[in-house]
Amino acid sequence: MPRLLLAEDDADLGPAIRRALELEGYVVDLFTRGDDVLAAGRSADYDVLLLDIGLPHGTGLEVLRMLRGEGIATPVIVVTAFDRTQQRVAGLDAGADDYVVKPVDLEELAARIRSQLRRREGRQDDTMTIGPVMLDFAGHVATLEGQALPLTAKEFRVLALLMRRSRRFVSKADLEAELYDGDNWAESNTVEVAISSLRRKIGRDFIHTARGLGYMVGGRER
Amino acid sequence: MQLYRRVLLLLALTALAIGAVLYVFADREISRAADVQLIDAAKLLDMMMQDEFAQGVLVRRDRVVDGHGDPLLTTEDEKAFQATYDSCMFAVFWNGKLVARSGWGAPVRLLPLEPGLHTFTAQGDGWRSYGMQSIKTPLLIVVAQRHAAREFSLGPVLAELALPMLLLLGLSMLVLWATLRKSLSQVERLASTINARSLADLEPLEPEVWPREMEPLVVALNKLFARLEGAYDLEQAFTDDVAHELRTPLAAIRAQAQVLRRLAPQAVGQDVDRLTSTVDRANNLIDGMLMLARLNATAVASRSVDVHGLVAEVVADAMIEAGPDGIECSVVPEHIVRWQCDAALLQVALSAVIGNAIRHARCGGQLDIALARGSDQLAVSVGDRGPGIPAAERERLLRRFEHGALPTAGSGLGLSIASKAMTLLGGTIRLEERQDGHGLLAVLTLRSQAS
C-alpha cells in the first residue's frame, strides 16, 4: 500500500485531505510542523510527499531544499496558494516534481499522486487514461470502462491526438495533418466523420466542439 | 478669473495711493519753498532799509510830525523788491508804528505783528505772513502773500505726468497679467498631468521639471502620493491576506464535502453536491476580490498576442468548468489574429466575459464570439442566447457585486473585473442587445497603442 506524507498545518484541512486520501487506499501520515516533516522525511520511506508551503517551524520550501540537499529523491508535490505564481516557480526550483493550487480538488490531487507513483515505479507503460477511456499507444488498442473499444485507424489517431492535448482545443487543420498518410490528403469531411463516430462509441460529452476553434477532450489524465 | 481681477485691482489701488502720497509730499515741499521765499523777501527788505535807517531817516521823520519826510524805502528799492517778489506785500513797523508798506495788499491792521510765520484771512482770501525782527534795527518787517499765489499749481504737472504714469501702470498690469498667466498655466499643466494619471500611477513628480515657485506644491503632492501608495499597499496586503485566510477553511469544507460525497448514501448525494457548489461559489467570490485587488497593482505590458489562441484557451477552460452541457460555441475567424497588448490582462477580461456568457448561455445553449480587427482597433464580441440585460441595467452590472435578474453561480464581480482589466488595457467594454435575435452582446474594444 503506498505511503504518503502529508504536511498541512491547518487543523481542518489536514485531516480532511488525509481522510480523502485514505479512502483512495493510501497510508497517510499527517504533520503540521516543518521540523517534524523534515525528521519524518529523513527517517521513513515514503512514496510521495505532499508539502504545504506555509508551514510553521520550517516552510515547505526549506524542508524540500534540505531533503533534496541530503539526496532524498522522494517525489514531492507542493501545495501552493492560489495565483502566487512565484511560489510555484520557487517550489519547482527547490526540487518539487509537481504542484497543486489551493483550494485543492481532491480528485485532481489523487490523479497527481497516481502520476507520481507511476513515475516512481518507472513503469514506462505507453498508456493514457482520461475519464472512462484508456489508450494503449504501443498496442494501438483502446478500452472504454475496461471493455475493448474497437476503433478504426483514423479514429484512433484522432482520439490519440485529442487525448495527448487534452483540455486544449485542437484545430481541424491539425487533426487533418495527423490523418495525412503521406500520399493522400484526407477527404474534407474525414475529421468530422471520425469525430461523430467516436462520439457514438464513447458518448457525446467526451469530445467538445467549438466552431472556429476545433475539438477538445475536456477530461483530465488519470 | 478671480485672481487676475483681485491682483489688477490691488495694482490700481497701489498706484492711486502712491499718487496721493506723492501729491501730499509735493504740496508740503512747495509750501516750505514758499515760506523760504517769504523769509528771503523779508531779509531783502531788511537789507534795503539798512542804509536809510543808518542815515537817521526815521529819527528825522519822527520829528516832522506830518510824516512827509524821506521815505524809508526808495522807489527804486521798492521796484526792485516787487520785481523779485511780485506776489509779496510788505509792511514795516517801528515801535509798533507803521513806517513803510507796499502799495497793495491786505489791510495793515489785519497783519499779525509778531515775528515768525502766521496765517490769517483778509478780504476773503487766505494769507501767509512772516514777521521778522530786524537784528540791527528796531524794525519789525512783515511780508505776506496770498495762499493762492503761494500755491504753485500742480495741475499742469499732473496732467503732464498722467500719460506716462498711465502707460507705466498699463504696462505693469500687462506684465503682471502675463506673469500670472504663465504661472497659472503651470498650475493648470500640473492639474492636467495629475488628471491624466491612472489610479495606480503614484510615481512622484520630478521637482526639476516644474518652476521653482511650484516646488512646495510638488513636494506636498509627492508626500500625498507616498502616503496614498502606502495606503494602497496596505489595502492590497489586507485584501490579499483576507482572501488567503478565507480560502483555507473553505478548502477544508470542500475537502470534507468530497469525503462525505464518497461515503454518504445515495440519498444525500445531491445535498452534498449542493454544498460543494456553494463552497465553489464562495471561492469564486474570493478569487474575484483577489483579482480586483491585484488588478489595481498590475503593471501593464505590451507584446504581440495571438488573441484567437487566447480565446481558444479561455473557451476551453470555461467549457471544462461548465461541464458537459451541450453548449454550442463558435468563433470567427478560424485563424490567428494578432494584436499588441497585455496578454494576461486580456485573458482576465476574456475569462470574465466568456465565463459570464457561458453561465447565461445555458438557457440558450449558444455562444458566438467574433474577432474584428480594424486598422486601429480590435473588437472581440461575445454574444450569448440568454435573456439579455435591459438597457437600464447594463451600466449597473459593470459595477461590483451586481447580479443580473437570473440567479447564477457568478460572483457578481465578473463584469466589473472585465471592465477594470479593459480600462487598464486602454480599451472599453460595452454591453448591448444582439442584433440577430435575443441575447446579450459584450463587446471588448482594444485600441491601437499608437493612436
Side-chain angles (χ1 to χ4, degrees), chain A residues 18-37:
Chain A
R18 177 173 61 186
R19 185 87 178 97
L21 292 177
E22 281 169 356
L23 286 174
E24 293 277 335
Y26 299 110
V27 176
V28 183
D29 292 337
L30 174 62
F31 296 95
T32 56
R33 293 166 52 127
D35 44 5
D36 294 347
V37 173

Side-chain angles (χ1 to χ4, degrees), chain A residues 153-165 168-181 184-196 198-199 207-210 213-217, chain B residues 334:
Chain A
K154 278 177 183 165
E155 286 165 7
F156 189 90
R157 277 151 86 174
V158 167
L159 187 56
L161 184 62
L162 288 178
M163 280 175 64
R164 272 200 220 101
R165 294 200 205 162
R168 276 176 293 161
F169 278 102
V170 180
S171 72
K172 200 180 146 200
D174 285 359
L175 287 168
E176 277 168 353
E178 179 75 10
L179 291 182
Y180 176 63
D181 59 9
N184 317 309
W185 280 103
E187 284 166 47
S188 63
N189 63 346
T190 316
V191 172
E192 281 94 333
V193 170
I195 294 279
S196 73
L198 281 169
R199 280 180 161 163
I207 301 171
H208 295 277
T209 316
L213 296 180
Y215 302 95
M216 170 176 73
V217 165
Chain B
E334 212 170 317

Side-chain angles (χ1 to χ4, degrees), chain A residues 8 10 12-13 16-17 19-20 23-24 81-84 102-107 167-169 172 205 208-213 216 218, chain B residues 240 244 247-248 251-252 254-256 258-259 262-263 283 287 290 294 308 311-312 315-316 319-320 323-324 327-331 333-334:
Chain A
E8 169 60 63
D10 189 81
D12 295 319
L13 187 54
I17 295 177
R19 185 87 178 97
L23 286 174
E24 293 277 335
F82 162 84
D83 205 31
R84 300 202 172 171
K102 277 185 183 178
V104 183
D105 184 78
L106 292 177
E107 283 167 26
R167 300 173 80 80
R168 276 176 293 161
F169 278 102
K172 200 180 146 200
D205 295 331
H208 295 277
T209 316
R211 246 179 300 132
L213 296 180
M216 170 176 73
Chain B
D240 216 275
H244 188 65
R247 194 184 300 279
T248 308
R254 197 179 195 287
Q256 279 154 359
Q258 279 187 302
V259 172
R262 290 188 60 146
L263 297 176
N283 264 320
D287 290 354
L290 212 48
R294 284 178 184 176
H308 188 267
V311 167
V315 169
M319 280 178 107
I320 290 165
I327 293 163
E328 258 185 62
C329 174
S330 77
V331 178
E334 212 170 317

Side-chain angles (χ1 to χ4, degrees), chain B residues 55-88:
Chain B
Q55 288 160 18
V57 168
L58 283 182
V59 180
R60 280 198 309 272
R61 249 179 59 171
D62 203 31
R63 289 188 197 137
V64 182
V65 178
D66 61 9
H68 289 282
D70 294 332
L72 198 54
L73 266 180
T74 60
T75 318
E76 287 76 43
D77 280 347
E78 198 174 332
K79 270 186 185 156
F81 176 80
Q82 290 296 349
T84 315
Y85 301 108
D86 62 334
S87 64
C88 293

Side-chain angles (χ1 to χ4, degrees), chain A residues 115-125:
Chain A
S115 157
Q116 290 302 326
L117 287 173
R118 273 204 302 274
R119 270 171 59 179
R120 185 169 163 78
E121 287 163 22
R123 199 175 69 201
Q124 286 297 322
D125 63 345

Side-chain angles (χ1 to χ4, degrees), chain A residues 7-85:
Chain A
E8 169 60 63
D9 66 314
D10 189 81
D12 295 319
L13 187 54
I17 295 177
R18 177 173 61 186
R19 185 87 178 97
L21 292 177
E22 281 169 356
L23 286 174
E24 293 277 335
Y26 299 110
V27 176
V28 183
D29 292 337
L30 174 62
F31 296 95
T32 56
R33 293 166 52 127
D35 44 5
D36 294 347
V37 173
L38 188 59
R42 278 174 181 151
S43 58
D45 186 23
Y46 289 101
D47 294 291
V48 178
L49 310 182
L50 303 173
L51 296 185
D52 181 41
I53 284 189
L55 287 179
H57 304 285
T59 68
L61 285 183
E62 287 165 7
V63 170
L64 176 54
R65 262 188 225 106
M66 292 181 80
L67 288 175
R68 289 290 187 251
E70 292 165 22
I72 296 169
T74 315
V76 170
I77 299 174
V78 164
V79 183
T80 72
F82 162 84
D83 205 31
R84 300 202 172 171
T85 318

